[in-house]
Amino acid sequence: MSIVAHYLHKWKIRLGILVALVCLWPIQTWLINAMTTDALNPYRITLTLPLSDALNQDYGLSPDAKVNKVFVSGSFSDWYSDDPYYQMQPVSANQWQYDLSIHPGDIEYKLVLHLDGQPTPIWILDPNNPETASNPWGDANSLLHVLDWPKIATTVQLFTLSIVGAFLLFCVLEPFLYWLLHLKMPFHRKLMISNMLILICAQVVFFGYQLHQSRQLIKLSVSDTLHNMHLLLASEQIDFDNIADQQQQISTTIERFFLPQLPASIKNKTAYFKLPCQILPCWIKTAN
């Protein structure tokens, strides 16, 4: 069988696998976005009184105690017992609710009851959340465990890209490997040549990825520099609509910006400032 015939053999299967892998990307992106949005929705905390007799006994809470205010306290509020931002809102005579904004990771919190006629508040666990975590004082806090969906999404996307890349690499190298295996030479040489070919292709892909990342980093660096330059020129009361009449002030400002960043050997060479002084204000004006 010739190389072309071997390559075209079962081409429908290869094409089907490639289409399935390509379709997997938007599907997984939609699924991850849906799960991320749902996972990071505010967590609704609900407290209904009276508590059970066992909980009242554990917290030293009287069944007929009158609760004036209820707060949610945790690391997000520096464990303040009366932060007004985290005050639970009454929805009925004996029920309070609060929608707590969450973030990836572990969130520890407690509910703080302020009773009528009692100066010291009572700290209780969330009766509707069975998950707890021990604290340094030998007590327990209610615990929310939120999955780190951004990291999960990145890992899944890299895994999918690696599968697609490996399959494309196989499709490209398959005729060469088929031709190599049919050459009359020792097997160890075939194995060495095939491994070198795969390694070279993998390095090319890796180099392309690194080049893309470097370009993104350079773009981000240039964007940050232009932003800082805009803030600097704006602080000097530069009129971006009338740059031509402010060349001296712009040159002085830009020189003061770039001078500390240059090596001592070229700080006295004013030619380095001519191009930035002429071009950067125009870039900044265009960007704004």
Side-chain angles (χ1 to χ4, degrees):
M1 184 183 293
S2 65
I3 296 177
V4 176
H6 178 79
Y7 191 74
L8 296 178
H9 181 59
K10 297 182 179 178
W11 65 271
K12 293 182 179 179
I13 298 178
R14 295 186 181 88
L15 182 60
I17 294 175
L18 182 60
V19 171
L21 291 175
V22 172
C23 292
L24 181 63
W25 182 267
I27 294 176
Q28 79 165 13
T29 302
W30 171 80
L31 183 61
I32 290 175
N33 289 338
M35 298 181 71
T36 302
T37 303
D38 185 64
L40 296 181
N41 283 336
Y43 177 75
R44 173 159 293 184
I45 302 174
T46 302
L47 175 65
T48 303
L49 296 179
L51 301 175
S52 65
D53 294 339
L55 292 178
N56 285 333
Q57 185 176 359
D58 291 341
Y59 300 129
L61 185 63
S62 173
D64 56 353
K66 183 179 179 181
V67 178
N68 289 331
K69 298 179 181 179
V70 182
F71 294 87
V72 181
S73 181
S75 55
F76 44 82
S77 65
D78 291 332
W79 294 100
Y80 280 104
S81 62
D82 56 355
D83 190 333
Y85 182 80
Y86 296 100
Q87 182 176 354
M88 300 184 68
Q89 301 301 318
V91 294
S92 65
N94 295 309
Q95 190 177 67
W96 291 261
Q97 285 184 349
Y98 183 80
D99 291 334
L100 179 66
S101 299
I102 59 178
H103 55 79
D106 292 339
I107 303 175
E108 298 185 19
Y109 68 98
K110 273 190 169 182
L111 306 183
V112 187
L113 308 183
H114 290 259
L115 305 180
D116 188 20
Q118 184 171 330
T120 304
I122 296 180
W123 296 67
I124 68 172
L125 298 175
D126 185 355
N128 298 315
N129 183 8
E131 297 292 332
T132 60
S134 300
N135 57 36
W137 295 274
D139 201 358
N141 300 326
S142 294
L143 176 66
L144 287 177
H145 181 70
V146 183
L147 294 177
D148 195 345
W149 280 106
K151 287 185 178 180
I152 294 176
T154 302
T155 303
V156 172
Q157 290 171 353
L158 288 177
F159 179 72
T160 303
L161 285 176
S162 64
I163 294 178
V164 175
F167 181 75
L168 291 176
L169 186 62
F170 168 77
C171 292
V172 171
L173 295 181
E174 184 186 9
F176 299 99
L177 296 177
Y178 177 80
W179 169 77
L180 180 63
L181 291 175
H182 285 76
L183 291 179
K184 293 182 179 180
M185 67 172 58
F187 178 75
H188 68 276
R189 291 187 180 179
K190 297 179 180 180
L191 185 62
M192 181 182 65
I193 295 175
S194 61
N195 286 336
M196 290 181 60
L197 186 61
I198 294 174
L199 181 61
I200 291 173
C201 292
Q203 288 296 326
V204 170
V205 173
F206 179 74
F207 177 76
Y209 174 77
Q210 290 294 326
L211 181 62
H212 173 72
Q213 292 297 319
S214 299
R215 290 183 60 188
Q216 295 299 320
L217 185 61
I218 293 173
K219 288 171 60 177
L220 181 62
S221 176
V222 171
S223 176
D224 289 341
T225 302
L226 290 177
H227 177 67
N228 292 332
M229 286 297 305
H230 174 262
L231 294 178
L232 179 64
L233 294 176
S235 66
E236 297 292 333
Q237 307 299 323
I238 298 296
D239 183 8
F240 293 98
D241 295 327
N242 190 22
I243 293 178
D245 298 336
Q246 306 172 83
Q247 289 295 323
Q248 183 61 38
Q249 184 179 0
I250 293 175
S251 300
T252 303
T253 303
I254 294 180
E255 182 175 347
R256 190 170 67 251
F257 178 80
F258 280 102
L259 189 62
Q261 307 176 42
L262 293 177
S265 59
I266 62 174
K267 282 187 177 181
N268 296 327
K269 299 180 179 180
T270 56
Y272 286 96
F273 301 108
K274 291 182 179 179
L275 183 62
C277 294
Q278 295 173 359
I279 296 179
L280 280 177
C282 299
W283 283 356
I284 296 172
K285 179 181 178 181
T286 303
N288 289 274

